[in-house]
Amino acid sequence: MNNPVPGATDQTDLRHVLVSSLKIGVLVSALVALFSVTGRLLDGMAEVAVQALLVAAGVWITTMLPGLWTRARSIEGIAGAAGIGLAGTVVFLLIDVSLLQPFGVYSNRWLEIGGGSNWWYHPVWWMAGTFLPWMGAFALANQAARGRDPSAPSVFVMAVVLALVVGGLAAMLGFPGATFSLGTMGVAFLPAIALTALVTGLGARRA
């Protein structure tokens, strides 16, 4: 197939989607490896701060880049972004089982959560890795439908703020497993990006 036309919207040709998926998978794999290294080298607030930056970078890459790469304006570009995310999780799986797991990237706690297996989280990764870019692209397309230039930073900032609110409320209300922690805020980003897509869609003009 032809390469995407520069400046065109909804760039979803197969080659573009596959190359973008490869980029996402490699970038996320590198961040996972760095996250593991920091957990071994740092302690206390330094560890939390650095890992928070790595998580933020990973969430940005997964949520915003696919929609930017497909220049999502309609359902085609939104679906293409979700496809990039899904295929990117397959790339991550291949890197994970061939490099990350054999080299002992994951801690014993990670193994204990999964009952002695590293395979428990892959289905979760597939779902989250598809959902996040789907919602991120939806929010970008919503901005365009409202006559605005799509702004990935504004979408991301809104989602982060909502994640802090959702995560904080969950911790204060005693939601099972919720605490004022990086893990809780990371999970809270899932409903937060859905809320962001909803808010950005308010008043959008559809063709």
Side-chain angles (χ1 to χ4, degrees), residues 53-82:
L53 290 175
L54 291 174
V55 169
V59 172
W60 165 271
I61 288 169
T62 305
T63 305
M64 304 312 309
L65 288 186
L68 291 173
W69 288 342
T70 63
R71 296 181 60 84
R73 300 295 185 275
S74 70
I75 193 64
E76 182 179 346
I78 295 168

Side-chain angles (χ1 to χ4, degrees), residues 91-103:
V91 174
F92 170 78
L93 181 151
L94 296 174
I95 295 174
D96 187 43
V97 300
S98 61
L99 293 175
L100 301 184
Q101 290 188 25
F103 280 94

Side-chain angles (χ1 to χ4, degrees), residues 21-188:
S21 302
L22 180 61
K23 293 177 183 178
I24 289 288
V26 170
L27 286 171
V28 170
S29 298
L31 288 173
V32 169
L34 286 173
F35 190 94
S36 174
V37 170
T38 59
R40 288 170 168 77
L41 297 180
L42 302 175
D43 292 305
M45 289 303 299
E47 178 184 2
V48 173
V50 173
Q51 290 188 339
L53 290 175
L54 291 174
V55 169
V59 172
W60 165 271
I61 288 169
T62 305
T63 305
M64 304 312 309
L65 288 186
L68 291 173
W69 288 342
T70 63
R71 296 181 60 84
R73 300 295 185 275
S74 70
I75 193 64
E76 182 179 346
I78 295 168
I84 289 173
L86 177 59
T89 65
V90 176
V91 174
F92 170 78
L93 181 151
L94 296 174
I95 295 174
D96 187 43
V97 300
S98 61
L99 293 175
L100 301 184
Q101 290 188 25
F103 280 94
V105 166
Y106 304 105
S107 64
N108 288 333
R109 182 173 62 179
W110 195 253
L111 289 171
E112 290 167 2
I113 293 173
S117 171
N118 273 327
W119 288 90
W120 64 272
Y121 61 91
H122 278 292
V124 177
W125 204 277
W126 298 332
M127 290 184 285
T130 306
F131 179 78
L132 290 175
W134 176 34
M135 290 293 103
F138 225 126
L140 292 172
N142 284 339
Q143 288 182 327
R146 296 174 66 180
R148 297 174 51 192
D149 290 332
S151 170
S154 68
V155 169
F156 190 72
V157 168
M158 182 186 298
V160 169
V161 171
L162 288 172
L164 294 174
V165 172
V166 171
L169 287 174
M172 288 188 294
L173 296 175
F175 191 85
T179 60
F180 291 99
S181 65
L182 180 60
T184 294
M185 300 307 161
V187 172

